[in-house]
Amino acid sequence: MENTLQLRPVKSEQVESIDTLISTSKPFIEANTIQATLAEVQSEHCIPVYALDFEKLISIGEFIEATQTIIQEVYRGEQILQPNIRLSHPIRSRVPSALNKRTEDLEEWEKSLYYQRAAFIFEIPSVQANIDGNSLSLIVGGVKSYQLDRLQGRRGSDEHFSFFVGFKVHVCSNTSVWNDGYSKTVAVKSLGQLKALMRNLFDSYNSSHQLHHLRRLSELELTENQFCQMVGRCRVYQHLPSEMKGSINPLLFGDSQINSVVRDYYRDDSFCRQDNGSINLWKLYNLFTSANKSSYVDSFLDRSVNAYNFVEGIRWELEKPGHSWFLN
């Protein structure tokens, strides 16, 4: 039986270079985001405060540092690369003394900036696996959106975070996340509470279990006709009445992302169809996770999990017909 995980030891001469490497060489999310370093987030961005008492919220930098601390404990001895951080929705302001200045005349010290939303991942390249010829590395990450917090309130209001553990496909930086490795938005009142919840998730995550299910996807395939049927149903699904959607496994991908799936079915270098038009479910899954890169930060993780659940539903339909509306 194929080993589910491969642990690659750290050589002493590699340590210095590994400490400076950024997790994944390609963006894991692209839509409306920019890349930043942890140093920039810590030193150049303001920290949001509650409007009524001026108490600070947990900053994006603190969230990233807390995640790093926990994974260094949980995955002690493994290689952990520097975080890949993507930011969106900048919130800009100026100091009161610059109230009447023209924008082009503002000094740097008179400007302030923070980003409303952030997503980040830490890659752990010493924990590896292989599925259908594709190399994977373990990843851990999180998402923060201040839009969910009551900034107009006082300290003591809940702050909201999401975090996850899963795998990254090397060839494309697609992220593989499923329910057991994902903490849907949690509400906390302190950094200590956030750390405890992250520790619980990372301790309980079973990487071998996820890999087993991902490998099963490579054992089944869709014919070209079945793929076309599925695409047509995906487009119809968005327009179904609510009462009909209620009895169907949800699909969170919109038309533009389904278009990406269809385009890459023909053109993707790693996950396109076979010459006869068939495509195995592992490749289909990667077409969806690749399309998910165009999601906004807010919906990125939910769609990541939905991509697996959707393709798993297709797998069930192929094994036991009658389970998936998308192929019926």
Side-chain angles (χ1 to χ4, degrees), residues 39-321:
E40 289 171 345
V41 172
Q42 292 170 324
S43 63
E44 298 178 15
H45 299 173
C46 296
I47 300 173
V49 298
Y50 290 101
L52 295 183
D53 57 15
F54 213 66
E55 290 289 335
K56 77 175 187 67
L57 286 86
I58 299 170
S59 70
I60 291 171
E62 287 176 312
F63 181 25
I64 296 171
E65 286 181 314
T67 306
Q68 187 174 38
T69 297
I70 299 301
I71 62 178
Q72 286 172 340
E73 296 171 358
V74 174
Y75 298 102
R76 188 180 304 276
E78 300 297 342
Q79 304 168 9
I80 301 172
L81 304 188
Q82 291 300 305
N84 189 318
I85 305 168
R86 307 291 297 186
L87 306 172
S88 73
H89 295 77
I91 307 296
R92 295 184 173 89
S93 61
R94 57 175 71 189
V95 298
S97 60
L99 176 65
N100 297 313
K101 270 193 172 184
R102 295 185 304 172
T103 302
E104 58 268 26
D105 294 333
L106 288 173
E107 303 288 342
E108 285 303 313
W109 65 270
E110 295 173 317
K111 304 174 186 177
S112 66
L113 169 71
Y114 75 89
Y115 285 83
Q116 187 184 60
R117 301 168 194 179
F120 64 90
I121 64 169
F122 287 92
E123 182 179 351
I124 308 176
S126 57
V127 182
Q128 295 189 350
N130 189 285
I131 297 178
D132 200 27
N134 301 121
S135 297
L136 289 75
S137 290
L138 191 70
I139 56 170
V140 177
V143 167
K144 172 62 185 176
S145 175
Y146 287 112
Q147 182 187 22
L148 302 177
D149 300 331
R150 293 184 60 219
L151 301 184
Q152 73 277 16
R154 297 180 182 275
R155 182 69 186 170
S157 300
D158 287 335
E159 300 180 51
H160 300 84
F161 299 85
S162 299
F163 40 89
F164 64 93
V165 54
F167 284 90
K168 182 208 76 170
V169 183
H170 284 188
V171 71
C172 53
S173 295
N174 294 350
T175 55
S176 298
V177 183
W178 71 337
N179 292 317
D180 291 351
Y182 170 43
S183 178
K184 195 172 178 66
T185 305
V186 298
V188 301
K189 295 186 182 299
S190 69
L191 187 60
Q193 186 180 5
L194 176 60
K195 287 182 176 179
L197 292 173
M198 286 194 290
R199 182 65 186 252
N200 287 340
L201 177 68
F202 301 158
D203 277 339
S204 62
Y205 169 70
N206 187 333
S207 57
S208 296
H209 188 47
Q210 182 180 6
L211 288 170
H212 168 72
H213 284 270
L214 291 176
R215 283 198 177 93
R216 294 178 68 185
L217 299 179
S218 66
E219 298 169 359
L220 294 170
E221 63 181 30
L222 294 179
T223 66
E224 184 173 25
N225 285 340
Q226 287 174 319
F227 177 81
C228 292
Q229 168 77 10
M230 181 204 72
V231 169
R233 288 278 187 163
C234 288
R235 296 190 188 283
V236 169
Y237 175 83
Q238 307 301 330
H239 305 283
L240 291 176
S242 298
E243 58 272 18
M244 291 185 65
K245 283 186 177 180
S247 61
I248 301 170
N249 289 333
L251 175 65
L252 303 183
F253 289 76
D255 281 348
S256 64
Q257 289 159 325
I258 298 302
N259 287 341
S260 296
V261 169
V262 175
R263 181 196 64 219
D264 291 342
Y265 167 76
Y266 290 101
R267 301 179 185 177
D268 190 88
D269 291 335
S270 302
F271 302 112
C272 67
R273 65 175 192 160
Q274 300 297 316
D275 290 340
N276 65 359
S278 65
I279 184 170
N280 73 38
L281 298 191
W282 165 250
K283 290 183 176 182
L284 178 67
Y285 172 57
N286 274 277
L287 296 186
F288 274 91
T289 54
S290 180
N292 187 40
K293 290 180 182 179
S294 66
S295 296
Y296 288 123
V297 168
D298 310 69
S299 56
F300 175 71
L301 283 179
D302 284 336
R303 282 182 174 155
S304 293
V305 174
N306 183 245
Y308 173 77
N309 291 338
F310 175 79
V311 177
E312 178 69 0
I314 298 296
R315 186 186 69 79
W316 271 93
E317 175 64 21
L318 294 177
E319 290 188 340
K320 300 177 181 179

